[in-house]
Amino acid sequence: AMRNRSEVDATLQTAKLNAAELLPVVHCLSFGPQAGAGECCLLQLEPGLCAELEAGRSLVIRGEKDEHAVLCSKDKTYDMKIADTSNMLLFVPGCKTPEQLNADQASCNIIHSQIAGFSNHYWELRRCRPKLKKLRKLLMEDPYEGPDSQKDQTFSKYTTEDLLSLIQASEEEILHQLQVLSACKIEGYWRILEFDYEMKLLNHVTQLVDSESWSLSKVPLRSCLEELGSLEPTEMIEHILLSYGRKYVDDGEVYFEMHEDKTCRAIAQMLLQNAVKFNLSEFQEVWQQSVPEGMTTRLDQLKGLALMDKSSRPETISLLKVEDLPENNQERFNSLFSIREKWTEVDITPYIQDLCAEKQTVGALLTKYARSSMQNGVRVYNSRRPIS
């Protein structure tokens, strides 16, 4: 039955509430015919995400059956977690807030509202690192080995749409990662170049630069395509220049300034792939001789690619790529501590830097996942748990 004003006042008195301290308007609630739990889901959004929806953009939930769901905006990824509430949350359509009622003095003093649904939990979003490891894994199933490869009839095909539905990350994060991986679109499908093929292309370009005596900061696109077009598809020549250089226009002509660090790093990887361990000083000598004339090799170009062992005699260097390590924090540390029992902060940083959440430091990660001690006056980190 609908309550009238005198019944409302009687209830307030029983509850020992002073009507003078309350707004005169009263909501009388009743359950609507379809009011059930589980009909609706509640999602708690930060203001920025709310603005996205209000502006007409959409949010997407991504994840396959065996994955934990994430929610993505155009450029950010959020973990979704159910949060329980101790108070029942009621959905009342057209419900007016105290501010609205205060502004609207003319409103009658009893409003009969129907509850359309209720819930005792909601989805909480927490900004997380995009889960991009799978992107490389999918594209590495069939790296592109060049136009003459026989394998290419049946390769795994992934369009941008496919990757958006398979990878748990926002569109911008996925596109950025494709750039980091130097992936390219071939006939509408994303491909990663097979490393030896990539090196073959880079070698063509650097040899041409050398034979023409061009400056590494001014490599002309048109001449490269004319000279190398008979050896490789022109879009591959252009792709390698985009991957290893910065494009600019001067006097109507397109030029590339070659990236020294990226080029030196790729050549180091090529050398290190052929040996389990390398004598460090011999490696440095061979490496400097292998890079294009005018480029200077430095060991800090190899962060997250190679690991130096300064304690062995002679000192050695070996390949250890950060992208080959697990994505999960604990598994990453387990993996690193099984490779080397004790790490200095300088050595381990390139291998855990990418795990840092927003505003998190490498130091905080080490405190959580490692135990520190002093060894010959140097702080070193080892595992908190025995590594099997």
Side-chain angles (χ1 to χ4, degrees), residues 112-180:
H112 295 284
S113 303
Q114 277 205 335
I115 295 164
F118 56 89
S119 176
N120 51 11
H121 61 253
Y122 58 92
W123 288 96
E124 206 176 42
L125 300 181
R126 201 166 287 146
R127 177 81 190 274
C128 67
R129 287 197 323 273
K131 298 170 174 54
L132 293 164
K133 200 126 197 103
K134 189 168 159 192
L135 178 59
R136 178 169 177 263
K137 187 169 159 270
L138 292 178
L139 296 182
M140 288 302 277
E141 287 167 4
D142 278 314
Y144 182 65
E145 295 178 8
D148 310 328
S149 165
Q150 298 309 307
K151 262 177 50 184
D152 248 33
Q153 311 315 314
T154 57
F155 72 94
S156 314
K157 297 178 160 71
Y158 298 107
T159 61
T160 306
E161 280 61 42
D162 296 332
L163 295 176
L164 284 174
S165 73
L166 290 166
I167 308 300
Q168 292 187 290
S170 70
E171 186 170 355
E172 284 188 18
E173 288 164 332
I174 290 172
L175 293 172
H176 174 70
Q177 187 63 11
L178 286 166
Q179 220 178 336
V180 170

Side-chain angles (χ1 to χ4, degrees), residues 30 35 83 89 103 139 147 152 178 233 256 278 336 368 380 386:
S30 60
L89 299 161
L139 296 182
D152 248 33
L178 286 166
F256 284 88
F278 232 113
L336 290 169
K368 186 170 177 185
V380 292

